[in-house]
Amino acid sequence: MEGIINLREARAHAPPLLSSPFKLLGTPSMAVSSFPMPIPLPSPPSPPALSDADLLRSLLRLSKEIAHSEPPGDLFHRGFASVARKIRVLSVIFEDLQRDRIPRLRRSAELCFKEILVVLQHLKALLADCSARSRMRLLLQSESLSNDLHELTLDLSTLLDILPMAELDLSEDVRELVDLLRRQCRRSDPPSDLEEESLRLEILAMIREIENEIVPDRERLEKIFDRLGLVDSRSCSDEIECLEREIGDRVVENLTPAMLALVGLIRYGKCVLFGASTPRSVSAEKPAFLQPNPVIPDDFRCPISLDLMRDPVVVSSGQTYDRDSITRWFSSGHATCPKTGQTLDRSDLVSNRALKNLISRWCREENVPYHSPESGNGETNGVSSNKAALEAARMTASFLVEKLAASQSTEAANRVVHELRQLTKTSSESRGFAAEAGAIPLLLPLLSENEPSLQLNAVTALLNLSIIDTNKRRIMHTDGALDALLRVLSDGATWQAKQNSATTLRSLSVNHSYRRRFGRNPRVVEELLNLVKVPPASKDALLALHALAGDRANIGKLVESGAVTVALESLVDHETAEEATALLAAIAKRGGASSLASAKGSIKMLVKVLRDGSESAQENAAAALVLVCRRTGGAAVAEITTTPGIEWAICEVMSSGTPRARRKAASLGRICRRWLAAEEACSINGSAVTE
């Protein structure tokens, strides 16, 4: 008896491994022909040394929890309900054993009950896992899920067969229930739900049609969504979020292509069947740090695309960019660092694995989808490689643009623009499809609307569109685009709208010719400088000014408009010190060093940042001080060398700063030493002449 139990214990404690194939009707463009379906359940730990009383109480509690648990949605209701009924009968046994006093169990019964406890733990884990899954993943894994339920039922049947009933003090009616339960478990066959299987096949057939650019029939789409329990805009949004989280967490690698296609299908169906969802009014929105859609930290954004970095790499200047963006930058003929303007002596890229891990962890914590490039080939396992997902995104973009063009009211337009904003946030492909469908000329007039929510949604959608290069050209070649953005920048209904308008200008300024064009427009610099004084939007305004400072032709206008003074004032605020020092370093590098040196208190403030600022701020402060010394000469160097604590600050940065900061600090130290040596030599020579 004990030998049998030990064999079963070894089997029960192993993670469930299922090998039943899951066919996908042959969809070669998804690069998936069959899906093995392992159920990633955690293996329960070995049962602790429980007393007989604790063991029976645990069995009773766990069996009641399973018996009264809700099935995961409408799918697999029949299979889970059958298991729940069996476990409900099982709970009667444990109740009956505890009706008077806890009996002392013999060794064989104790081992059997411990095995039953393990089976119940597996069942509970399976229920919890299924409840957390998206409906679509449940459907895709239907066959293996059914097999897993069947396997656990067989385990329970085996344990009931070897349960030593003669050793247990059970009432007669309970014994009859146990016999009935044994027969039910023994007769249990792998559940086959033809309705769910037909639904799965129909959905996969629709995905194949979308791949072939066939627009889904509305009535058929409505039936599928109804059977899935997707009955309104909210349930569709929840399903999309759940699917995207599973894709980002790579819960089932071989299902990723199908899940990406299903996200596109649900997003399209949501818009077609239920219309655009109603966005919250701006007045009802929470502050940015409480938004359900988290703000991406600046350190996680690529300085070129402004989007979340998927594959951060370091160039020889020490700056980090997304691999795709910096590769395109080099391919277009540039040989400089986009952020610092340094000429790069080599174009090799080093993966920033530490930052990549931080981004991945942040995405998991914030439930943000994160599709990292596959190791080895550098290609992303995302929408761009999935024909069905691409076509679904194209259909959704076309549908929304058509609805926006036909919108007769502000409320209707706002709902559609909100959906466009959400769509263009997801991928570069969606941004391209929306622009190709004609979204930009329809969005620009909405920037003049007085309705705060509509204006914010419109400018944010435009910002999302501006991230890709082809859309930059489309925006700048559309009549009135710059005037519309400046109107929001100066008279926007909310600071969020102003902030996103500034970020759109920054995004467009990545293009050299547009950057110069903005610099020639006196309103651009003026409005950005005014926005720096609005605390929530200060950082974005400084970043936009920094982008303009990337062109030497714009420096005169920036200096003349007071950019140096505004940036120095921003050094006081720790939140904007990095952006302000970057702007000052850029101005000093391209012809504004003398203006920086002559600004009241500039040297003292930069030295303070060098001493107390963040790593990035120290780097830029050191670069600005070196440029001021080299290009303006004696007075600036004399002021730096006499500033208290300068030696300590230089030594600290040289020992613990970024590679570029260490180089700049070393240069600054050499300049100061040479100046002091020259001063000492002059003093000695002067003394000799006097004598």
Side-chain angles (χ1 to χ4, degrees):
M1 175 69 185
E2 189 167 338
I4 295 174
I5 293 294
N6 287 336
L7 287 174
R8 294 208 42 76
E9 183 174 356
R11 180 185 175 194
H13 291 163
L17 299 175
L18 304 180
S19 57
S20 57
F22 178 88
K23 304 297 182 183
L24 186 60
L25 294 177
T27 53
S29 60
M30 285 187 188
V32 179
S33 59
S34 66
F35 295 139
M37 290 291 113
I39 301 295
L41 294 178
S43 181
S46 298
L50 297 174
S51 67
D52 292 345
D54 288 339
L55 176 59
L56 289 173
R57 277 194 288 267
S58 296
L59 285 166
L60 180 59
R61 175 184 52 79
L62 199 53
S63 60
K64 284 188 173 182
E65 286 178 4
I66 296 171
H68 294 94
S69 60
E70 291 292 329
D74 297 328
L75 299 172
F76 302 103
H77 188 281
R78 188 179 306 168
F80 280 107
S82 174
V83 170
R85 284 194 297 272
K86 292 180 177 67
I87 301 303
R88 193 175 296 115
V89 173
L90 194 62
S91 68
V92 175
I93 301 173
F94 308 131
E95 273 187 314
D96 194 61
L97 284 171
Q98 302 177 67
R99 64 184 183 277
D100 296 322
R101 61 183 180 83
I102 303 297
R104 180 171 180 78
L105 299 175
R106 294 191 181 182
R107 177 63 174 166
S108 56
E110 179 191 356
L111 289 173
C112 222
F113 280 144
K114 283 184 177 180
E115 285 298 312
I116 291 174
L117 181 64
V118 171
V119 172
L120 294 181
Q121 287 172 336
H122 274 295
L123 273 171
K124 184 180 178 182
L126 180 61
L127 274 167
D129 181 66
C130 289
S131 297
R133 297 185 204 181
S134 62
R135 292 175 173 89
M136 288 298 188
R137 184 156 75 97
L138 276 174
L139 195 63
L140 290 176
Q141 294 180 311
S142 58
E143 185 177 344
S144 49
L145 178 58
S146 297
N147 287 340
D148 205 45
L149 278 174
H150 178 60
E151 186 175 323
L152 290 171
T153 303
L154 290 181
D155 285 347
L156 185 59
S157 172
T158 303
L159 291 169
L160 289 174
D161 283 340
I162 61 177
L163 182 66
M165 296 292 293
E167 299 175 6
L168 300 176
D169 182 21
L170 295 173
S171 60
E172 190 61 34
D173 55 341
V174 172
R175 290 177 182 275
E176 291 176 1
L177 281 175
V178 173
D179 289 337
L180 176 62
L181 183 57
R182 280 172 170 168
R183 291 195 296 272
Q184 287 179 342
C185 290
R186 200 177 297 123
R187 291 198 305 267
S188 178
D189 295 321
S192 56
D193 196 318
L194 297 178
E195 184 178 349
E196 285 162 1
E197 178 65 8
S198 69
L199 177 59
R200 181 179 68 86
L201 296 178
E202 189 170 358
I203 290 173
L204 296 175
M206 182 171 284
I207 288 176
R208 285 208 312 276
E209 292 173 6
I210 291 175
E211 285 182 328
N212 296 322
E213 303 180 23
I214 300 173
V215 178
D217 176 70
R218 181 189 175 96
E219 184 177 348
R220 183 176 162 211
L221 193 65
E222 191 171 5
K223 289 180 180 177
I224 288 176
F225 273 50
D226 186 59
R227 290 166 68 185
L228 282 167
L230 303 175
V231 295
D232 54 24
S233 181
R234 180 68 264 172
S235 59
C236 290
S237 296
D238 290 343
E239 178 70 3
I240 290 170
E241 289 174 12
C242 191
L243 270 171
E244 288 181 335
R245 183 168 58 251
E246 291 169 341
I247 292 168
D249 290 343
R250 298 181 176 275
V251 290
V252 188
E253 289 279 358
N254 50 11
L255 275 182
T256 298
M259 291 164 73
L260 283 166
L262 290 168
V263 168
L265 173 63
I266 297 170
R267 183 171 281 119
Y268 174 77
K270 170 179 175 282
C271 294
V272 171
L273 299 178
F274 310 116
S277 56
T278 304
R280 292 175 306 177
S281 64
V282 172
S283 60
E285 288 188 355
K286 299 177 182 178
F289 58 88
L290 294 176
Q291 288 288 349
N293 292 325
V295 177
I296 299 172
D298 289 332
D299 290 340
F300 295 172
R301 291 182 184 270
C302 174
I304 298 175
S305 69
L306 308 181
D307 208 354
L308 182 69
M309 287 188 278
R310 308 293 175 176
D311 188 11
V313 293
V314 182
V315 298
S316 58
S317 67
Q319 300 298 322
T320 299
Y321 302 93
D322 192 54
R323 184 184 296 275
D324 184 53
S325 298
I326 194 64
T327 300
R328 288 202 306 269
W329 173 266
F330 289 149
S331 300
S332 61
H334 296 93
T336 57
C337 173
K339 190 172 182 180
T340 65
Q342 288 178 262
T343 300
L344 302 177
D345 52 1
R346 59 185 188 278
S347 59
D348 55 316
L349 305 175
V350 179
S351 182
N352 191 336
R353 296 189 180 278
L355 180 59
K356 185 175 181 180
N357 291 336
L358 287 174
I359 293 173
S360 177
R361 185 169 65 187
W362 177 84
C363 288
R364 287 196 302 272
E365 291 172 352
E366 300 292 342
N367 292 327
V368 174
Y370 179 65
H371 314 307
S372 169
E374 294 290 335
S375 58
N377 59 13
E379 296 179 2
T380 56
N381 185 15
V383 175
S384 58
S385 60
N386 191 298
K387 183 71 161 57
L390 284 173
E391 289 305 323
R394 189 193 304 275
M395 292 174 186
T396 305
S398 297
F399 176 82
L400 289 172
V401 171
E402 289 175 6
K403 293 289 285 184
L404 180 58
S407 297
Q408 299 296 317
S409 67
T410 299
E411 183 182 355
N414 192 25
R415 288 199 298 269
V416 177
V417 174
H418 174 72
E419 289 294 339
L420 273 172
R421 171 183 174 176
Q422 297 301 311
L423 177 68
T424 54
K425 184 175 68 174
T426 58
S427 69
S428 294
E429 291 75 21
S430 296
R431 295 172 191 130
F433 296 148
E436 287 171 7
I440 292 170
L442 296 173
L443 288 171
L444 285 171
L446 301 178
L447 301 187
S448 302
E449 289 287 338
N450 294 324
E451 209 288 311
S453 180
L454 176 56
Q455 186 186 70
L456 176 59
N457 282 321
V459 74
T460 308
L462 201 66
L463 167 60
N464 293 341
L465 291 170
S466 73
I467 289 173
I468 63 175
D469 291 338
T470 52
N471 286 351
K472 286 178 171 63
R473 289 193 294 273
R474 288 187 175 108
I475 293 171
M476 293 303 294
H477 293 172
T478 302
D479 290 340
L482 182 55
D483 289 338
L485 287 169
L486 288 174
R487 196 175 300 117
V488 177
L489 205 59
S490 60
D491 302 320
T494 62
W495 66 261
Q496 295 102 323
K498 293 182 178 184
Q499 182 182 38
N500 288 349
S501 179
T503 307
T504 304
L505 289 173
R506 176 190 167 202
S507 173
L508 295 169
S509 296
V510 170
N511 184 291
H512 179 76
S513 61
Y514 303 152
R515 186 190 311 157
R516 181 164 293 187
R517 179 176 165 185
F518 294 156
R520 290 197 300 264
N521 189 315
R523 284 191 61 202
V524 173
V525 175
E526 178 186 348
E527 296 298 347
L528 286 173
L529 288 173
N530 289 335
L531 192 60
V532 173
K533 300 169 187 176
V534 180
S538 298
K539 185 176 291 191
D540 296 273
L542 285 166
L543 288 170
L545 288 166
H546 178 256
L548 297 184
D551 194 311
R552 182 177 292 272
N554 294 337
I555 299 301
K557 181 63 180 175
L558 288 169
V559 171
E560 179 186 334
S561 301
V564 172
T565 302
V566 170
L568 288 171
E569 291 171 353
S570 299
L571 290 180
V572 179
D573 187 352
H574 178 73
E575 293 295 321
T576 55
E578 291 186 8
E579 292 73 24
T581 51
L583 174 58
L584 291 171
I587 290 174
K589 180 177 182 178
R590 296 178 179 86
S594 58
S595 299
L596 177 57
S598 61
K600 184 178 180 180
S602 59
I603 301 298
K604 182 179 179 181
M605 295 174 76
L606 286 170
V607 170
K608 186 177 186 303
V609 173
L610 186 68
R611 186 174 61 244
D612 304 325
S614 64
E615 280 193 348
S616 179
Q618 287 177 332
E619 177 182 320
N620 289 317
L625 288 169
V626 168
L627 288 164
V628 166
C629 291
R630 287 176 175 170
R631 299 183 182 181
T632 63
V637 182
E639 185 176 351
I640 291 172
T641 55
T642 57
T643 301
I646 183 63
E647 300 92 345
W648 178 85
I650 291 173
C651 289
E652 280 291 303
V653 174
M654 287 178 63
S655 64
S656 60
T658 65
R660 180 170 178 252
R662 291 198 293 268
R663 291 196 303 270
K664 295 299 180 181
S667 297
L668 185 61
R670 287 193 297 271
I671 291 170
C672 291
R673 287 194 299 273
R674 288 170 184 167
W675 173 264
L676 290 172
E679 283 288 294
E680 185 178 352
C682 288
S683 176
I684 293 172
N685 291 336
S687 299
V689 169
T690 302
E691 291 175 2

